[in-house]
Amino acid sequence: MILNGSQIFVETLIEQGADTIFGYPGGAVLNLYDALYQNSHRIHHVLTAHEQGAAHAADGYARATGKTGVVLATSGPGATNLVTGIATAQIDSVPMVAFTGNVPTTSLGKDSFQEAYIEGITLPITKHSFTVRHVEDLADTIRSAFRIAQSGRKGVVLVDIPKDVSAATCEFINKAPEPKRTITVFDHNKVAQAAQMINEAKRPLLIFGGGVVGAAGCDALRALVHTGSIPATHTLMAAGVLDYREELNLGLLGMHGCFASNKAVAECDLLIAIGTRFSDRVVLNSTLFARKSKIIHIDIDTSELGKNVVADLEVAGDASYVLNSLLPQINRQDHEDWLAQIRDWQTKDYVPQDAEDHLTPHQIINEICLQTGSDATFVTDVGQHQMWAAQYLHHTKSRGFITSGGLGTMGFGYGAAIGAQIGLGNDHRVVMLTGDGSFHMNLNEGCTAASQEIPLITVIFNNSVLGMVRQWQTKFYDERYAATDPNRKTDFVKLAEGFGLTGYRCTNLAEFKEAFTKAMASKTAVWIECVIDKDEQVLPMIPGGGDVHQIIME
């Protein structure tokens, strides 16, 4: 059948399984929006307050559901406003396709009104970027974008569509979606070698990251932990893969990780790293990291092997396939002496102190967990609250903790939480945790939460300062608090009401319990401001470039 480019755009999205698209209209995408309007019964468009919010919403939708997130923006500033959201999703290996409009092909390169070379701008921060110059190429380009986004190490693909391409016509033939290209091939001899190393180890330790979630390898990883009786620690991106109640789960690793997990890295004789890229917040100092240990590194992306930490054995492959090949070769063991030593280290872990007269972060989070149970999905912004959430939430689900790990994007949370809530549906509980600094960067999406009528709960840890930066100034800059006390006068309760939401302000635990109970019963979005002390710190903490011997516990 003969269709124009805008109709082809919609038909191909639906063909690829897209049911939701986040975006913001503009002149260069008017044709696309006209087609979306005519097909609103087939694909749901979510209008956000800002294109960056739309990108984060598509990202949160993808992280929560495992589907490919889709975002659409107009040319020029609309396209460039997506850049931070694209980079955020790409570094955390989130499958997303970003569509932008552009000036007609005849005007490209002439500094036309609202023109930006978005393909070139995004090339370093995407898996691939396309500019479609002929309508005959549009459908297959979109198909390729979805396949690339979900294949191998997942990531972001950008498709730029000039306005004349969206108006031109050609023959369109519907096709079945291409299967994603999963890397099923790996070196079986190396897997056998890894099994032998694991079976011979006296003090093995497993480190796993977000790649295990992306590869749907969580069940296989749990089986490896239990079969080999191997204690395990995780990166920020893998919180929830192991239940927080799991005896062999040592918790978070790295700069703000547990003492026991960091100590185990220093003392193990075999480190098995799966689906993690050994970021600087985990390794801290590559010359000091796991010096007593042999290292096995399993990752789908060969460029990550040997990049940050040199391993004794590197296995390139999909974590799920490699783990399922490894499992039958692992002997059942108990490692009782090693586990006893770890239990002793755990008694030395940092324990936060309760308070009766003011709110503390861990008490707020404990109350959230008590009221939401194990089925909630938690989303965070970036800062102190993010680390408190990683440390104290009762993680039970592999996709239950959504946060910006690699890029550390302040302003990520609210858009991502909206996307997660829409992806999971209003019957699913989504709670967003943020700080007053991060929230000021994205609270404009309050209008989106109101217009979408979603029951999203937002808990704001308000210490009236830029807490994480201030903590560093406290520890390492002799308390010179440059630009970390913004002296803002924001009234979050009134602001929530101005958006058409409900707001509460809490100064003690009793007030918070009451407010959160009301929020749980609400059918619309709620903001709960929690006033906490500006000197609350995230502990433990290992300074950048240090190791467990430099850990700060008080």
Side-chain angles (χ1 to χ4, degrees):
M1 54 183 165
I2 301 297
L3 300 178
N4 65 36
S6 299
Q7 293 169 323
I8 290 170
F9 168 76
V10 171
E11 292 299 328
T12 313
L13 284 181
I14 294 169
E15 170 196 284
Q16 295 299 307
D19 54 20
T20 305
I21 181 169
F22 302 87
Y24 204 99
V29 289
L30 279 176
N31 295 335
L32 302 178
Y33 269 88
D34 190 53
L36 286 169
Y37 178 86
Q38 295 181 57
N39 289 275
S40 58
H41 60 292
R42 303 169 68 201
I43 186 166
H44 177 46
H45 177 270
V46 178
L47 174 66
T48 58
H50 190 282
E51 291 90 352
Q52 184 175 335
H56 292 324
D59 183 344
Y61 173 94
R63 295 190 201 223
T65 66
K67 300 177 183 178
T68 302
V70 184
V71 62
L72 171 63
T74 193
S75 61
T80 57
N81 281 344
L82 294 180
V83 169
T84 297
I86 288 172
T88 300
Q90 174 66 14
I91 199 168
D92 286 345
S93 305
V94 178
M96 188 166 86
V97 177
F99 292 98
T100 52
N102 215 327
V103 299
T105 55
T106 54
S107 299
L108 289 172
K110 297 181 180 180
D111 291 333
S112 303
F113 177 68
Q114 288 194 333
E115 180 192 359
Y117 180 36
I118 195 65
E119 177 187 349
I121 291 170
T122 59
L123 194 62
I125 56 169
T126 56
K127 286 189 74 175
H128 200 92
S129 294
F130 295 96
T131 297
V132 183
R133 295 177 181 271
H134 306 283
V135 69
E136 292 82 3
D137 298 329
L138 180 57
D140 282 344
T141 301
I142 295 173
R143 291 164 181 149
S144 294
F146 274 82
R147 174 179 50 78
I148 293 168
Q150 283 280 5
S151 296
R153 180 177 179 177
K154 296 173 174 60
V156 184
V157 181
L158 178 124
V159 181
D160 192 37
I161 307 173
K163 191 168 184 179
D164 57 331
V165 172
S166 68
T169 61
C170 73
E171 179 75 16
F172 173 76
I173 300 173
N174 193 274
K175 295 182 181 179
E178 295 182 51
K180 63 179 181 180
R181 295 180 181 173
T182 303
I183 299 174
T184 60
V185 178
F186 53 88
D187 190 326
H188 288 267
N189 290 329
K190 285 189 173 182
V191 172
Q193 187 179 346
Q196 182 178 353
M197 293 170 70
I198 293 170
N199 289 334
E200 293 175 353
K202 303 299 182 185
R203 302 187 308 280
L205 180 68
L206 182 64
I207 295 178
F208 59 94
V212 175
V213 180
C218 301
D219 288 341
L221 182 129
R222 296 180 192 115
L224 175 62
V225 168
H226 294 142
T227 300
S229 191
I230 304 171
T233 179
H234 61 79
T235 70
L236 184 67
M237 297 304 299
V241 172
L242 289 181
D243 193 297
Y244 78 102
R245 295 161 295 192
E246 166 61 57
E247 184 181 3
L248 293 168
N249 181 8
L250 306 189
L252 187 67
L253 177 68
M255 180 173 287
H256 293 293
C258 304
F259 171 76
S261 59
N262 283 293
K263 185 67 172 175
V265 169
E267 299 298 332
C268 66
D269 65 359
L270 179 65
L271 189 68
I272 310 122
I274 305 175
T276 177
R277 57 189 177 84
F278 286 125
S279 78
D280 58 302
R281 286 299 175 101
V282 169
V283 172
L284 299 169
N285 186 326
S286 59
T287 62
L288 301 176
F289 185 75
R291 284 184 294 178
K292 299 179 181 180
S293 175
K294 291 182 178 180
I295 299 175
I296 299 170
H297 192 186
I298 301 169
D299 202 276
I300 198 168
D301 187 350
T302 55
S303 69
E304 295 294 351
L305 299 174
K307 185 173 81 173
N308 295 327
V309 170
V310 177
D312 297 273
L313 178 64
E314 298 174 348
V315 183
D318 180 283
S320 181
Y321 286 88
V322 173
L323 282 169
N324 280 298
S325 175
L326 180 66
L327 272 170
Q329 305 178 58
I330 300 300
N331 298 334
R332 289 196 173 273
Q333 302 187 59
D334 56 34
H335 299 299
E336 187 51 44
D337 291 343
W338 174 228
L339 296 178
Q341 175 63 80
I342 289 173
R343 286 192 289 270
D344 179 64
W345 291 330
Q346 287 176 319
T347 65
K348 299 176 175 63
D349 266 322
Y350 173 76
V351 179
Q353 299 302 305
D354 289 345
E356 294 183 2
D357 59 340
H358 64 275
L359 281 168
T360 64
H362 75 280
Q363 288 177 297
I364 295 169
I365 293 172
N366 283 342
E367 181 62 28
I368 291 171
C369 293
L370 285 173
Q371 292 203 33
T372 57
S374 61
D375 291 330
T377 294
F378 300 101
V379 184
T380 82
D381 261 314
V382 170
Q384 286 182 311
H385 70 275
Q386 177 190 30
M387 295 296 104
W388 288 323
Q391 292 173 333
Y392 302 133
L393 282 172
H394 298 172
H395 300 288
T396 59
K397 298 195 310 179
S398 58
R399 291 190 179 275
F401 184 67
I402 296 172
T403 193
S404 170
L407 202 62
T409 304
M410 293 178 70
F412 165 81
Y414 207 48
I418 289 169
Q421 185 75 78
I422 289 171
L424 296 170
N426 283 359
D427 291 337
H428 187 93
R429 175 58 62 196
V430 176
V431 180
M432 188 268 211
L433 291 80
T434 185
D436 56 297
S438 274
F439 199 44
H440 272 104
M441 292 188 173
N442 67 4
L443 54 75
N444 57 324
E445 295 300 340
C447 63
T448 308
S451 63
Q452 293 296 311
E453 298 180 337
I454 56 177
L456 173 62
I457 299 175
T458 299
V459 179
I460 307 162
F461 292 73
N462 186 5
N463 55 10
S464 299
V465 294
L466 305 182
M468 186 60 86
V469 184
R470 189 178 189 276
Q471 178 170 330
W472 279 66
Q473 290 172 333
T474 300
K475 298 295 186 186
F476 310 117
Y477 291 86
D478 295 327
E479 300 182 1
R480 293 188 295 273
Y481 298 124
T484 50
D485 188 351
N487 294 306
R488 291 172 177 149
K489 309 301 181 185
T490 307
D491 187 323
F492 289 106
V493 175
K494 289 182 179 179
L495 191 57
E497 293 170 352
F499 278 123
L501 310 176
T502 302
Y504 300 102
R505 187 173 191 268
C506 307
T507 59
N508 58 56
L509 189 57
E511 291 176 348
F512 178 72
K513 288 180 179 180
E514 181 181 0
F516 199 83
T517 300
K518 291 178 180 178
M520 288 285 287
S522 176
K523 300 298 183 183
T524 57
V526 176
W527 294 1
I528 305 175
E529 177 190 10
C530 297
V531 179
I532 64 172
D533 193 280
K534 65 183 179 181
D535 291 317
E536 287 281 0
Q537 294 191 359
V538 181
L539 296 174
M541 178 183 185
I542 301 176
D547 69 359
V548 70
H549 297 98
Q550 285 84 49
I551 195 166
I552 299 168
M553 300 285 277
E554 60 182 29

